[in-house]
Amino acid sequence: MDMERQQGMFYQMDLFDIPEGNVRHCASGEGGTGSAALEESQSFSALSQERALTNALMEEVCERDNLNRAYKRVKSNRGSPGVDGMSVSKLSAWLAEHKEGLTVLLLDGTYQPQPVLRVDIPKPGGGVRQLGIPTVVDRLVQQAILQVLEPLLDPIFSESSYGFRPVRNAHQALHQAQGYVSEGRNIVVDIDIEKFFDRVNHDILMSRLARHVTDKRLLRIIRRFLLVGVMDNGVCVERHEGTPQGGPLSPLLSNLLLDDLDKELERRGHCFCRYADDCNIYVRSKASGERVMASVIRFLERRLKLRVNREKSAVAYITERKFLGYRLLSGGRLGIAPQSLARFKERIRYITRRNRGVSLGQMIRELNEFMTGWVTYFRYAECRRHLAKLDEWIRRKLRCVRLKQRKRAKSIASFLRRNGVPEWSAWLLALSGKGWWRLASSPQAAQAMTLKWFQEQGLVFLTMRYASLQQ
């Protein structure tokens, strides 16, 4: 059997058969007496039943179909190898030999994950974000656990939480924020949790998880994932707090912990939106905003043992802050945050570097891939004027690249003449001693490399893409 067929079929073998009594069902009850004592008894009974149904979750994790779905998800996500060097392409062969032993370790709760590989990536606002890359096998196990826990935990989360949740996205969070602003809540309490994923308290997180899960095997394995060390330059560093970014389970666990904050804000009647650890609360005055900020900081630091970055957190008018890359404007309109525009231009500069040594066609393909995704994300912003200026700037960057690629005066003049520039004018530019950037803004460059010329090269125009998304 070839490798492709093996990857699609290895979980079809009857190696993960689970006894039929271990399937979780949803329980529901009805009350009819109106008695408070009876309602309390029924509520307690329902909670007990729900918790009892989570006593055999590890059997669900190890079900053949669940493991098969987890394998396909890990394979489609690809990702880098962990500390053991195993790539996703080698996972199928490893499982063909070790899947029975893996299932046994999971079912008896003795599975021990390997350390995660530390990788630092630059953050848009400066500094670095630490990622912890689990091994491919650990990612498979985490994904299988996630597929069982997510349907159990996600329904209890707040309606104002949007990050890393099925059928929820950043645009929905922005839409809700727009509604709050349109009602006159023009002051935002912007909470920045300092190094959230690195500061998660394991005991608090596990106590929240134990409210909904009674399978001790599953709880033990999840705690091991939290405690596993970080491999940094060949040295394994122990970790006593935090949940490493990079594993499939981390987003769900972070939402579970911060659900305490959501429920507290709901209890107080606040209007808020949270996307992962980015939380904005909308109020009508700065005085009330200052009170909310102080009380939320106390709650986070005392109840959840998290630290708030006071320098990055603020109580401010909505136009002075950003949320998910957008800037909220008066009346609930949306614009692009200045920081997002700056990061966009930084990325364009990187792609259009004149010393890259790649063809103009390759450069345009990279630009198109980035710009299409970027303008699609910001399609709800009022930004037509900004996009028009960016289009002009990008075309000038590409003209600059094209002229420099011609290098010699004769080649530049030949290129300009071939694209409709008179010979005397072409030689005037070719023999000019000005720098490439100034030459790119010359009338000759604009005459040779017109809008039609860029369209023939396949360049995507931000304004045209934006207009098509508004239809």
Side-chain angles (χ1 to χ4, degrees), residues 303-433:
R303 184 75 66 83
L304 300 181
K305 307 301 181 185
L306 297 171
R307 189 178 303 171
V308 174
N309 189 325
R310 287 166 170 78
E311 293 182 0
K312 294 184 178 180
S313 301
V315 178
Y317 192 66
I318 52 170
T319 57
E320 299 173 11
R321 307 296 292 182
K322 66 180 178 69
F323 184 47
L324 301 177
Y326 280 79
R327 180 172 63 167
L328 283 157
L329 308 173
S330 60
R333 297 174 298 119
L334 291 174
I336 302 178
Q339 300 93 323
S340 299
L341 289 172
R343 287 198 294 270
F344 173 85
K345 296 185 77 172
E346 182 180 348
R347 180 63 178 170
I348 296 299
R349 290 190 186 97
Y350 177 81
I351 295 175
T352 58
R353 296 192 321 277
R354 297 194 293 272
N355 59 353
R356 285 190 63 196
V358 301
S359 68
L360 185 69
Q362 173 65 24
M363 198 173 286
I364 287 176
R365 285 191 292 273
E366 293 179 23
L367 283 173
N368 288 346
E369 183 178 358
F370 169 67
M371 293 192 302
T372 300
W374 187 86
V375 76
T376 300
Y377 178 75
F378 286 105
R379 64 187 180 273
Y380 297 110
E382 298 179 8
C383 58
R384 197 179 302 272
R385 185 180 61 180
H386 285 303
L387 296 183
K389 290 182 178 180
L390 288 173
D391 271 336
E392 293 176 3
W393 178 71
I394 291 168
R395 288 194 292 269
R396 183 176 177 182
K397 296 282 287 182
L398 291 175
R399 289 184 181 114
C400 185
V401 169
R402 191 71 184 107
L403 289 174
K404 186 175 186 293
Q405 287 178 341
R406 305 303 296 185
K407 295 182 180 180
R408 301 180 184 279
K410 183 177 180 181
S411 179
I412 293 174
S414 175
F415 169 75
L416 295 174
R417 291 201 316 272
R418 194 164 57 249
N419 286 279
V421 179
E423 183 172 359
W424 68 270
S425 184
W427 279 105
L428 188 65
L429 182 141
L431 297 174
S432 172

Side-chain angles (χ1 to χ4, degrees), residues 66-250:
N66 186 60
L67 289 169
N68 201 28
R69 285 193 297 121
Y71 166 77
K72 291 177 180 177
R73 187 61 179 267
V74 170
K75 181 184 174 184
S76 64
N77 289 342
R78 299 183 181 182
S80 303
V83 295
D84 61 354
M86 183 191 298
S87 63
V88 175
S89 62
K90 297 179 181 178
L91 179 59
S92 175
W94 186 92
L95 286 169
E97 183 178 353
H98 299 95
K99 55 190 172 184
E100 293 183 5
L102 174 64
T103 306
V104 170
L105 292 176
L106 292 173
L107 288 173
D108 63 20
T110 59
Y111 179 80
Q112 181 63 52
Q114 298 187 61
V116 298
L117 180 64
R118 173 176 168 174
V119 176
D120 294 339
I121 60 173
K123 296 173 68 173
V128 296
R129 175 178 287 111
Q130 295 181 2
L131 294 185
I133 302 178
T135 65
V136 176
V137 177
D138 285 343
R139 294 207 294 269
L140 171 73
V141 173
Q142 286 195 38
Q143 181 64 37
I145 293 173
L146 172 68
Q147 291 168 179
V148 170
L149 286 184
E150 191 171 63
L152 178 70
L153 298 177
D154 190 77
I156 71 172
F157 293 156
S158 168
E159 289 296 315
S160 296
S161 167
Y162 293 92
F164 307 121
R165 296 183 61 187
V167 203
R168 283 176 170 259
N169 56 48
H171 290 145
Q172 292 172 335
L174 287 162
H175 180 71
Q176 186 174 21
Q178 282 183 280
Y180 294 147
V181 173
S182 65
E183 294 171 358
R185 296 178 175 86
N186 292 321
I187 303 297
V188 60
V189 181
D190 189 354
I191 305 291
D192 184 273
I193 302 176
E194 184 176 337
K195 296 183 178 179
F196 168 72
F197 285 93
D198 298 330
R199 297 274 170 78
V200 169
N201 184 285
H202 292 170
D203 292 334
I204 295 176
L205 175 57
M206 292 306 300
S207 71
R208 300 305 184 265
L209 185 58
R211 293 174 181 175
H212 310 281
V213 174
T214 57
D215 192 325
K216 296 186 183 300
R217 299 165 299 173
L218 182 56
L219 293 173
R220 281 197 300 269
I221 289 176
I222 291 177
R223 180 175 278 276
R224 291 191 191 115
F225 274 117
L226 295 174
L227 291 173
V228 74
V230 177
M231 189 69 71
D232 185 15
N233 293 323
V235 178
C236 187
V237 181
E238 291 186 358
R239 187 176 65 241
H240 302 287
E241 63 178 3
T243 172
Q245 298 184 68
L249 262 181
S250 293

Side-chain angles (χ1 to χ4, degrees), residues 438-454:
R438 290 188 63 185
L439 293 177
S441 65
S442 65
Q444 297 96 318
Q447 185 178 357
M449 292 172 275
T450 62
L451 294 179
K452 182 179 179 182
W453 184 85
F454 279 111

